[in-house]
């Protein structure tokens, strides 16, 4: 084996390691975000002070919801201009705020039901992640239709905010499971593709955070939709 072949093999191995670190970073950030949100939710559940602060005023809760959307927009649209520490801090702050608002499910549903639905969500998410990472078919076209469906879901949810229709809420939850299950595979394929070109620099570290944010949103939305459909209320 000549030196050129040896160098090519070494370069390929180095690139594979970088790709593996990139994917590990994406899922590491995602799992960390879920853990942070869970800790924040339980902190509210076990603190009367936090409970009254968040849910005692509509303005406080609405302010947190607005902050969540603002952080998602800022991260998605402006992450290229951010430094990596700022992007990482923004993602952590988003995870905390989301945990604070999601703490409401702990008061509505039984602990056993929440754990059961969480495990089911993890299994569904894991299966679709494996599919997205291993399928030879391009999911780009499917992704476009799923994003269109997501826009429709957002509009329907806003309408139902005023209508308060239990039937429409059930339909929205059912469709949400399907849309975000599909988006899990689509987002995973995007991350796997990006990993092939990953480099050991801040730019790809920030891309890993965006990938983690997308997967985090997929997981949380599947979980909440399944909880609304099958969760046992207190």
């Amino acid at each position: 084996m000549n030196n050129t072949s040896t160098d090519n093999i070494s370069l390929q191995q180095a690139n594979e390691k970088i790709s593996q670190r990139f994917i590990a970073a994406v899922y590491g950030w995602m799992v960390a975000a879920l853990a942070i949100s869970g800790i924040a939710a339980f902190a509210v559940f076990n603190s009367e002070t936090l409970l009254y602060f968040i849910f005692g005023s509509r303005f406080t809760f609405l302010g947190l919801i607005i902050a969540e959307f603002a952080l998602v927009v800022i991260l998605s649209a402006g992450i290229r201009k951010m430094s990596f520490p700022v992007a990482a801090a923004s993602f952590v702050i988003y995870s905390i705020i989301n945990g604070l608002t999601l703490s409401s499910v702990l008061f509505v549903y039984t602990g056993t039901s929440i754990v059961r639905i969480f495990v089911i969500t993890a299994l569904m998410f894991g299966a679709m992640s494996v599919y997205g990472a291993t399928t030879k078919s391009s999911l780009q076209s499917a992704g476009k239709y799923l994003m269109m469906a997501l826009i429709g879901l957002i509009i329907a949810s806003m309408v139902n905010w005023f209508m308060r229709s239990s039937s429409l809420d059930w339909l929205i939850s059912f469709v949400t499971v399907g849309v975000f299950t599909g988006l899990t595979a689509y987002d995973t394929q995007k991350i796997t593709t990006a990993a092939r070109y990953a480099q050991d620099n801040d730019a790809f570290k920030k891309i890993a955070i965006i990938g983690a944010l997308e997967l985090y949103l997929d997981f949380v939305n599947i979980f909440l939709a399944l909880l609304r459909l099958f969760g046992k209320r207190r």
Side-chain angles (χ1 to χ4, degrees), residues 43-93:
V44 176
F45 185 71
N46 292 292
S47 171
E48 289 188 7
T49 302
L50 285 174
L51 175 63
Y52 285 115
F53 172 73
I54 295 170
F55 299 103
S57 169
R58 288 184 177 181
F59 294 104
T60 301
F61 186 77
L62 182 60
L64 291 173
I65 294 294
I66 293 172
E68 285 183 76
F69 280 107
L71 282 170
V72 169
V73 172
I74 290 170
L75 278 168
S76 300
I79 195 168
R80 291 184 179 181
K81 298 179 181 179
M82 296 180 186
S83 65
F84 172 69
V86 171
S90 298
F91 187 42
V92 170
I93 292 171

Side-chain angles (χ1 to χ4, degrees), residues 146-222:
L146 288 169
M147 292 305 297
M148 291 171 61
L150 177 58
I151 294 172
L153 279 173
I154 293 172
I155 295 172
S157 298
M158 293 175 63
V159 170
N160 201 41
W161 179 272
F162 299 99
M163 292 178 58
R164 303 291 183 181
S165 169
S166 58
S167 298
L168 182 56
D169 183 65
W170 183 89
L171 179 60
I172 290 172
S173 298
F174 184 80
V175 175
T176 297
V177 173
V179 169
F180 281 97
T181 298
L183 283 173
T184 298
Y186 171 68
D187 290 333
T188 301
Q189 188 175 78
K190 286 197 307 180
I191 291 165
T192 304
T193 301
R196 299 171 187 167
Y197 307 97
Q199 299 176 20
D200 195 9
N201 55 34
D202 281 357
F204 274 90
K205 289 179 181 178
K206 291 188 291 185
I207 292 174
I209 290 177
I210 288 296
L213 174 62
E214 293 175 341
L215 293 179
Y216 172 91
L217 290 172
D218 294 338
F219 188 100
V220 169
N221 279 284
I222 294 171

Side-chain angles (χ1 to χ4, degrees), residues 137-148 186 189:
S137 302
S138 174
L139 300 178
Q140 187 172 0
S141 296
K144 293 179 181 178
Y145 289 110
L146 288 169
M147 292 305 297
M148 291 171 61
Y186 171 68
Q189 188 175 78

Side-chain angles (χ1 to χ4, degrees), residues 116-128:
R116 184 177 69 251
I117 297 299
F118 185 89
V119 171
I120 292 172
T121 302
L123 291 173
M124 290 176 60
F125 180 89
M128 295 310 294

